Amino acid sequence: MLTIVRIHNELLGTYGDRGNADVLAFRAHLNGIGTEVIDVAFREKLPETGDIYLMGGAEDAAQSLSLMALKEAGSLSRAVEHGATLLAICAGFQIIGESFTNGQGDVIAGLGLLEITTTPGKSRFVGDIKVASSILDCEFTGFENHGGATEIGSSVQPFGKVLVGHGNGYSQLDGAISGNVYGTYLHGPLLARNPEFADHLLSQVTNTEMKYSDDLANEYARWRRKVTK
Ligand code: GLN
């Protein structure tokens, strides 16, 4: 049984990234692996024993609130330290970096889980995005909508090379990866648009290679009926 923890969806849910949890649960199910998706709201206690933690996109004020709570609690940082996987999209990505500067010019220290720094870009980055993955032999697609531009340090590898769109801003790179921590600007949700990356995360977490079902549509319909009961 895998535990998937969705963090502060009421703050970090502006761009529909909550769907990443559903895709992970579905792909795990196709491989006979049970999952539990736990939603942790702002100020609720964040469990430290989750397998995969998910964060989504948000506007500056909401992401500052989320960061404040996560900093105070310290539990996400401890979970990651103990080997949990973290997938952070856009605002989530910015939150887990060294710092981000909001629209008012305040520099806000992040969780420091990735060596990245975000500052306001010259204009907002909006539109479709395509990146060549730095870890899988494929391209990922999604959409982006952010004001921040992110510089990455030498201790992280990019999530991908930008083929269409902007990603981190001006470097032709998107996102950052360090160990089990993944950050990217791709909304979509990312894992709905790019299920091979969901399988990659699940394979890593379970130490088993994920296999596609031959009867995907039927499986999906059956599963959907079960979870929406
Ligand atoms: N508020 C952040 C920015 O504008 C993140 C936006 C988002 O998550 N889409 O850069």
Side-chain angles (χ1 to χ4, degrees), residues 15 17 56-61 63 89-92 94 118 124 144-149 185 187:
Y15 297 87
D17 302 305
E59 300 318 315
D60 286 1
Q63 87 186 58
I89 312 293
C90 204
Q94 297 176 0
T118 302
R124 203 164 172 89
E144 61 183 327
N145 188 340
H146 55 105
Y185 276 108
H187 300 293

Side-chain angles (χ1 to χ4, degrees), residues 194-215:
N194 309 281
E196 51 282 77
F197 187 57
D199 289 352
H200 172 76
L201 292 177
L202 291 167
S203 300
Q204 272 201 330
V205 170
T206 60
N207 248 325
T208 331
E209 204 191 321
M210 294 296 119
K211 296 203 170 51
Y212 292 103
S213 164
D214 293 335
D215 190 12

Side-chain angles (χ1 to χ4, degrees), residues 11-218:
L11 296 174
L12 307 177
T14 313
Y15 297 87
D17 302 305
R18 62 174 292 136
N20 286 329
D22 300 326
V23 177
L24 284 170
F26 173 58
R27 311 283 301 184
H29 165 78
L30 289 181
N31 284 272
I33 299 164
T35 51
E36 179 190 19
V37 178
I38 300 178
D39 271 299
V40 177
F42 179 60
R43 296 285 195 205
E44 266 178 20
K45 197 168 161 17
L46 188 85
E48 293 183 29
T49 51
D51 298 294
I52 304 179
Y53 291 78
L54 300 172
M55 299 168 76
E59 300 318 315
D60 286 1
Q63 87 186 58
S64 301
L65 271 181
S66 172
L67 171 58
M68 189 182 75
L70 292 171
K71 247 195 244 172
E72 268 173 32
S75 32
L76 177 61
S77 303
R78 285 195 293 275
V80 165
E81 209 175 292
H82 294 141
T85 291
L86 169 61
L87 173 62
I89 312 293
C90 204
F93 174 44
Q94 297 176 0
I95 285 175
I96 64 170
E98 305 284 354
S99 70
F100 67 86
T101 305
N102 66 16
Q104 283 71 51
D106 310 314
V107 180
I108 301 169
L111 293 183
L113 300 175
L114 286 176
E115 191 194 349
I116 63 156
T117 307
T118 302
T119 49
K122 293 187 198 92
S123 58
R124 203 164 172 89
F125 307 107
V126 181
D128 286 330
I129 175 165
K130 179 155 88 168
V131 309
S133 169
S134 70
I135 46 171
L136 300 180
D137 186 18
C138 68
E139 291 169 358
F140 297 139
T141 67
F143 71 91
E144 61 183 327
N145 188 340
H146 55 105
T150 299
E151 278 186 43
I152 71 174
S154 55
S155 69
V156 299
Q157 76 177 98
F159 184 70
K161 185 177 173 323
V162 174
L163 304 173
V164 175
H166 301 279
N168 291 350
Y170 308 105
S171 58
Q172 297 289 104
L173 299 174
D174 173 71
I177 303 174
S178 173
N180 296 333
V181 179
Y182 300 83
T184 171
Y185 276 108
L186 272 68
H187 300 293
L190 171 73
L191 300 182
R193 296 270 291 249
N194 309 281
E196 51 282 77
F197 187 57
D199 289 352
H200 172 76
L201 292 177
L202 291 167
S203 300
Q204 272 201 330
V205 170
T206 60
N207 248 325
T208 331
E209 204 191 321
M210 294 296 119
K211 296 203 170 51
Y212 292 103
S213 164
D214 293 335
D215 190 12
L216 199 63
N218 288 342

